[in-house]
Structures are given as structure tokens and as C-alpha cells.
Amino acid sequence: MTGTAPLLRRLAALTTAPGPAPRTAPEVLADRPDGTVVRAGRTVAKAHAPDCDPHDLAARLRIAAHPLLHGILLPPLPVTAPDGFLIRADDGRALTRWPYGTPVSPDDPDAAPWQDAARLLAHLHSVDVGRLSGPVPPMRGPAKAARALTRLRTALAPGTHPAPLSAAADAVERAWSLLPPWSRAAAPPPRTELLCHGDLHLGQLVRHPTTGGPWLLIDVDDLGVGDGAWDLARPAAWFATGLLAPNIWSGFLAAYRAAGGRAVRPAGDPWPDLEVPARALTVQTAALAVAKAAAAVRPLDEIETAVVDACARMTSLPQQLAPAALDVG
């Protein structure tokens, strides 16, 4: 367990409603280095990553609670009166409270709400940043990609792992080296006009209210201004590497454009806008895959091999992620 017993007790206390009403036993939903999440009934409490900047997180929480984000982001619950959304644990970690929402079911991939996600992103990217209170921090997507490479390098000390894993790590490193500095968090991004989620995947959607409610985006840890194409890059990369069916990708892209999404051109080939972020997300995914395989002392599985192979293609054809898969005009 990543969360210590005192931390888990503190999170459980945050989920418990005061008064004589029956209480639901707390349940640990996630316990990872980047976050520990506990649920009881209709409330969730989260301990954010130890290296989370509390000032930036406080700004992100204010944005999630802003009326302009109603119907787009799940709003946080106050933890202090009248509207404080963040407190600190004894170990310094930031703690927040949220309404519980029903997540996407992993058992029914055909029902995955890709088009709902696309519309939510389009609405998020259309928010007038100037109307939000206080400064808006930068989107942290590139920083997460850089951390994935650090994790890879830590996990694979030279000469300590089988040759296939070492070769996979080399392919990831070569692909990383070809990316522009901004996508490696080594320079400011060229576009910073849109409010971005920063880590879009299906695990970042819930229905709220839980019974028949609309889909909403969750997890604001990476929310901020930046290049909105980063939010489309993971499904784009999955399509390009053969992990997402063409009809799902085309439906996602069409829904985003129909809802007025501004991160890609309104018609025609979106790839000039998506190429760099999609390559960066592919490298990030591959780096984490190799690091996890090394930690578990196992070979890469089929999906992990696919993303590493995509990195290898990037080094032979630096301007293309998967040439045969990208005719999506």
C-alpha cells in the first residue's frame, strides 16, 4: 500500500458525513504513488501526489468549481468553510473531497463514451480563460511525459535486464530525443490559449449523478492552459498504433469538431495539429510500459509491444507515427 494507515484514516474521515445517518464503510479505490483515493457512499476523498504543488492545485480546484465549468468538470466539495477545497495531511500531501460518480465500465468497451469525451473536451477548450478567477497554471501533460522517461531510466539500470527490454528502452529513448523541446517539458509550448485537461483517457470520465447523470471529466491535477491537441493525442495515438478502431477514432474526431473544438482545424487532415502530441503520448505510454515490465520482471505484452514498435517507427520515419493509419481527413 502506498497510503499509510494514518493517511487512509484521514481520507476515510473526509468521506464520512456528520450526524446520526448510517455510515458506509470506506473503500480504497486507488492507492498509487500519484494518488490515493477512498470512497464512502456518495463521497470520495483523494490524497494527491507528494510532489503536487498545492498553490497550482488550489487554482485548478477553483477552476473546476467555477460556473463556466458546470457540466464539463466534476466540481470539488468544500473541505473548509466557506469554499476551501484543499487541506493538508500530516505528511504534507494535499487532500480533496469529491462527489462519487459512476466510472466507465471496463467490461463493455463498445459502450465507451468516446464521443461524449470529445464533446466535453470541445467545451473545455472553448472556455474563456480570461473569465476565470486568479491565474491559470500551465497544463502539465508534457511534464508527465518527462516523468515517464525518468521512471524508465530509474527502472532499467544498464546491464540489469534482458536484452529485449533493453532494446525496447533504447527505442523509447531514441523516439523521445526526436520530439520538439516543448513536448518534453524543456521549453514553453507554442500554443497556450486553450484550457486543457492534460491527461485525457476513459478513466477520467464519470456519470454524475450516478444514476443516469451526464458524463463529466474528473482529475484536475494536470488542468491548465496549453495546446489543446494534447487532450486529443492519446486516442489519436491509439488509432495510429492500431489500438483504437478507425470508426471509433473518426466518431471521436467528428464529435469534437461538431461541438466546436478549437484544438484542430475544423475540417480536413487533423494530423498537422496532432502529430507532435500524439508522438509524445506514445513515447510516454511506451516508457511506462517498459518500466512496469522491468519492475515485474516479465516480457512486454501485446499492447505494450505495439506502442514500443510505434516508437521504433518514429525513429525510422521521424515525421510519421504510423503512416498507413493516418488518412483520416
Side-chain angles (χ1 to χ4, degrees), residues 37 87 96 114 183 189 237 259-260 307:
V37 181
I87 59 174
T96 55
W114 283 110
S183 64
V307 291

Side-chain angles (χ1 to χ4, degrees), residues 228-238 249 271 274 276-279 281-282:
W230 196 276
D231 286 342
L232 312 183
R234 186 173 271 112
W238 286 354
W249 164 247
W271 208 252
L274 294 174
V276 169
R279 287 165 58 200
L281 263 295
T282 300

